[in-house]
Amino acid sequence: MTSITRAEVEHLARLARLELSDDEIDHYAGQLDVILQSVARVSEVAGADIPPTSHPIPMVNVFREDISRPGLAREDIAAGAPAWEDDRFRVPRILDEE
Amino acid sequence: MAVMEDDLVRQDAATLASAIARGEVSSEEVTRAHLDRIAEVDGEVHAFLHVLNDEAMESARAIDARRAAGERLGPLAGVPLALKDVLTMTGVPTTCGSRILEGWRPPYDSTVVERLRAADVVILGKTNMDEFAMGSSTEHSAYGPTRNPWDLERIPGGSGGGSAAALAAFEAPLAIGTDTGGSIRQPASVTGTVGVKPTYGGVSRYGLVALASSLDQPGPCARTVLDTALLHAAIAGHDPRDSTSIQAPVPDVVAAARQADVRGMRVGLVRELSGEGYQTGVSQRFDEAVKILTDLGAEVVEVSCPNFEYALAAYYLILPSEASSNLARFDGMRYGLREGDDGARSVEEVMALTREAGFGPEVKRRIMIGTYALSSGYYDAYYGSAQKVRTLITRDFEAAFTQADVLISPTAPTTAFKIGDKVDDPLAMYLNDIATIPVNLAGNAAMSLPVGLAPEDGLPVGLQVMAPPMADDRLYRVGSALEAALVDRWGHLLIEEAPQL
């Protein structure tokens, strides 16, 4: 397992949409490295013949009856929105300038 | 025997409920007493993020009126409860201990809240927690730490430190927690209270703000095993709005708690969850409890779960992976905080600024670990291997449960530590959950109950009982038998020894 660099933390922060400060990047680089080194030992016992478990109680095809039911009221949604305009969420521009 | 009015906050829920049912005291009086207690001590303890003063009194009066009109109400009707701030309640702030949800009022009830309302339980307010339930000390709350009522310089455990402290400070006789890796059991352990993580799928996750969806489980907390069972019965059961909810009858936990009999039960000591790393007084009180179980007629055997050694590592890959995905919803577009929306910045820039401002350090760490573990090139070595370890741990449990009906261990390796001791040392913090995590990975049910004070520091020690999936009733059989024997020995519940606030 490779150890984690400052550049990797910057990359992870970008992927995770976190605008970290320089101090934070330095601080987290050391901590993430320690954590990842420690958890890497899962591969010691994870043989090819062992099936993965994604869910503790296996269930397949859970259906409910297809009947309509009331959704949330528009004004209730608007009340929790950070910005609302013309009965819709107002969001910043979605394209970059360049 | 009539309940004394000045004592109301020290009564357990079952006693309060029957006093209310017999008309010896009203829900209004009981609720008032608890709200007064909160006003008196919560400045020091900080168990609550939001107190529902008017709403709680209103629902108490409505319950009293219905009873006066001759309506027959449920076994917890009129009893107050503290709700962890990770479950939605219509119109009531739900922050999850995070700035990113500050001021958000959900437009719907979680199923847990719906069932509490149906049971006529009075909800007093929302309790403090580590941000998005990430932590073992409640120090990672954006709104400041909760303090342990046994020693205000110490942590109340986490993430559900607020719910556990509310019980230990006699601010509420009942509380709701959620347990992803120990967040009900470890706080119960360090505050001398009782907490149960039901079988995964036993209590609906609808309206529970998700941390790690394959591990999260809401559950009951109280000061006695019977109260915990009564609350368990009130909130559990199939919910079509949660696709992972189990479609089977809830085990009869209340009958099991009343049975309180371990004769003939096989109790397994997990070899890997003892010894090195466990505080002396924790091991001592645990060993004494084992002796009591033997004296009560249980057959104690030693079992080995060799892969538990890898549980912590697997958990700290699976949890951050699921969390990094679940927390992607906090993007500042539809609810909660939005930062830096100046008309010039793009949506991506606003998202990154919002998440930077809204999330605390532990949340950022785990989001980045999860993002890393799920990256192409690392996925097989990290997340894929962790899922295989999860299989091995489940197999260890299955093998152990052929030799024993329940397994036991200390709940946490230490008693409550000092606030600030581990807050910026993630690995040291993660070790608090070493004994509780295997249960979440396998989906089993487990309880923590108090078994004494560690002689070296005078702080509570918890014992964990673990049962196979859907055998939650066994926890209560063992827990109530042990509790009765300890109360017999001490002359009172352990919580009675907590210092006056």
Side-chain angles (χ1 to χ4, degrees):
Chain A
M1 301 285 167
T2 50
S3 73
I4 195 159
T5 62
R6 203 176 181 283
E8 278 179 295
V9 175
E10 279 186 282
H11 179 60
L12 289 173
R14 205 158 39 244
L15 290 175
R17 307 285 184 275
L18 292 167
E19 185 68 46
L20 297 185
S21 68
D22 284 349
D23 285 351
E24 283 184 298
I25 294 169
D26 289 333
H27 191 65
Y28 293 139
Q31 290 181 334
L32 296 190
D33 195 45
V34 171
I35 295 168
L36 285 167
Q37 301 278 357
S38 155
V39 296
R41 54 194 305 258
V42 289
S43 59
E44 287 172 22
V45 286
D49 56 325
I50 300 160
T53 297
S54 62
H55 194 275
I57 313 284
M59 290 183 192
V60 284
N61 296 345
V62 176
F63 297 117
R64 60 170 169 78
E65 279 195 70
D66 187 17
I67 41 173
S68 64
R69 35 177 199 177
L72 296 170
R74 187 181 294 241
E75 56 272 23
D76 291 343
I77 302 295
W84 186 263
E85 199 176 290
D86 297 336
D87 253 3
R88 298 179 186 89
F89 294 109
R90 188 184 62 71
V91 298
R93 65 185 170 78
I94 55 166
L95 297 174
D96 277 327
E97 272 166 324
E98 58 268 26
Chain B
M1 189 181 74
V3 176
M4 298 297 293
E5 200 174 324
D6 54 5
D7 255 342
L8 286 175
V9 299
R10 300 189 77 86
Q11 305 297 325
D12 60 48
T15 306
L16 288 173
S18 56
I20 294 170
R22 287 196 302 265
E24 292 166 13
V25 66
S26 66
S27 174
E28 184 177 356
E29 289 166 304
V30 171
T31 302
R32 178 80 271 155
H34 284 91
L35 289 170
D36 288 349
R37 175 74 178 169
I38 292 170
E40 188 189 333
V41 301
D42 209 53
E44 285 182 295
V45 177
H46 193 227
F48 285 88
L49 293 177
H50 187 81
V51 181
L52 294 163
N53 282 301
D54 299 340
E55 298 90 332
M57 290 305 288
E58 231 169 81
S59 36
R61 281 191 286 264
I63 290 162
D64 288 336
R66 283 167 48 216
R67 190 181 307 279
E71 224 179 293
R72 278 182 65 100
L73 304 176
L76 288 175
V79 179
L81 171 140
L83 180 68
K84 191 177 180 184
D85 200 28
V86 70
L87 287 149
T88 62
M89 182 172 176
T90 307
V92 173
T94 300
T95 68
C96 303
S98 182
R99 289 282 172 215
I100 211 160
L101 277 178
E102 191 167 11
W104 180 63
R105 291 171 186 260
Y108 69 105
D109 275 349
S110 53
T111 297
V112 167
V113 165
E114 201 176 83
R115 293 197 177 170
L116 291 171
R117 291 191 204 267
D120 294 308
V121 169
V122 176
I123 299 174
L124 295 172
K126 306 294 291 287
T127 57
N128 199 12
M129 56 186 284
D130 286 295
E131 185 174 3
F132 290 108
M134 298 187 198
S136 308
S137 69
T138 316
E139 292 168 288
H140 290 305
S141 167
Y143 304 97
T146 296
R147 294 171 180 277
N148 191 324
W150 287 81
D151 177 350
L152 296 171
E153 298 302 304
R154 291 177 190 266
I155 60 103
S159 64
S163 284
L167 296 171
F170 297 97
E171 294 172 299
L174 298 172
I176 296 290
T178 61
D179 192 313
T180 305
S183 289
I184 287 176
R185 290 162 287 159
Q186 183 257 2
S189 178
V190 300
T191 57
T193 59
V194 183
V196 165
K197 184 206 94 75
T199 297
Y200 181 85
V203 176
S204 172
R205 292 184 297 111
Y206 179 77
L208 162 62
V209 181
L211 166 56
S213 310
S214 80
L215 303 166
D216 296 342
Q217 182 58 209
C221 311
R223 291 190 294 261
T224 71
V225 173
L226 177 62
D227 282 1
T228 311
L230 290 165
L231 184 55
H232 189 139
I235 60 173
H238 180 246
D239 177 13
R241 291 177 299 189
D242 173 0
S243 67
T244 59
S245 174
I246 293 172
Q247 295 202 38
V250 181
D252 196 345
V253 293
V254 175
R258 294 216 161 97
Q259 188 184 0
D261 182 3
V262 292
R263 278 175 300 174
M265 274 186 100
R266 296 169 305 161
V267 174
L269 299 180
V270 184
R271 190 182 302 152
E272 288 76 11
L273 300 180
S274 65
E276 205 189 325
Y278 289 81
Q279 189 181 318
T280 315
V282 170
S283 300
Q284 183 187 330
R285 294 305 180 217
F286 177 74
D287 293 344
E288 289 166 8
V290 173
K291 170 80 169 51
I292 293 174
L293 286 170
T294 312
D295 293 345
L296 291 172
E299 183 197 334
V300 176
V301 295
E302 193 180 71
V303 299
S304 177
C305 296
N307 295 294
F308 281 16
E309 188 189 337
Y310 299 95
L312 196 70
Y315 177 83
Y316 278 101
L317 285 164
I318 291 168
L319 178 138
S321 297
E322 294 189 19
S324 71
S325 164
N326 274 327
L327 270 61
R329 71 184 52 140
F330 299 104
D331 57 11
M333 296 300 121
R334 293 154 297 157
Y335 35 70
L337 185 72
R338 180 182 290 183
E339 196 72 23
D341 183 10
D342 59 0
R345 291 197 179 95
S346 71
V347 73
E348 296 236 347
E349 291 167 321
V350 170
M351 280 182 192
L353 287 167
T354 299
R355 290 161 65 82
E356 168 64 10
F359 289 144
E362 183 60 14
V363 174
K364 290 176 186 168
R365 276 192 288 265
R366 293 202 199 182
I367 287 175
M368 287 190 284
I369 295 281
T371 304
Y372 185 85
L374 293 175
S375 308
S376 68
Y378 298 110
Y379 183 94
D380 288 340
Y382 285 105
Y383 186 66
S385 297
Q387 286 191 308
K388 290 179 174 184
V389 170
R390 196 167 183 179
T391 306
L392 295 173
I393 285 163
T394 305
R395 288 179 183 171
D396 278 0
F397 270 120
E398 284 165 1
F401 284 126
T402 63
Q403 299 166 60
D405 302 307
V406 293
L407 306 179
I408 59 171
S409 75
T411 307
T414 68
T415 56
F417 48 91
K418 289 257 170 70
I419 290 174
D421 269 7
K422 301 180 183 179
V423 70
D424 197 35
D425 186 350
L427 275 189
M429 190 69 91
Y430 297 171
L431 281 170
N432 289 299
D433 297 330
I434 194 147
T436 47
I437 277 172
V439 161
N440 298 82
L441 291 171
N444 298 355
M447 167 188 284
S448 177
L449 77 154
V451 291
L453 303 177
E456 61 270 31
D457 54 21
L459 292 166
V461 174
L463 176 139
Q464 175 177 232
V465 189
M466 297 167 269
M470 289 311 279
D472 306 42
D473 51 325
R474 293 184 201 170
L475 307 175
Y476 291 95
R477 261 184 82 182
V478 176
S480 55
L482 187 53
E483 180 188 64
L486 289 166
V487 166
D488 204 37
R489 176 179 289 197
W490 299 326
H492 51 72
L493 289 168
L494 187 71
I495 196 72
E496 297 296 333
E497 295 181 33
Q500 294 288 322
L501 286 167

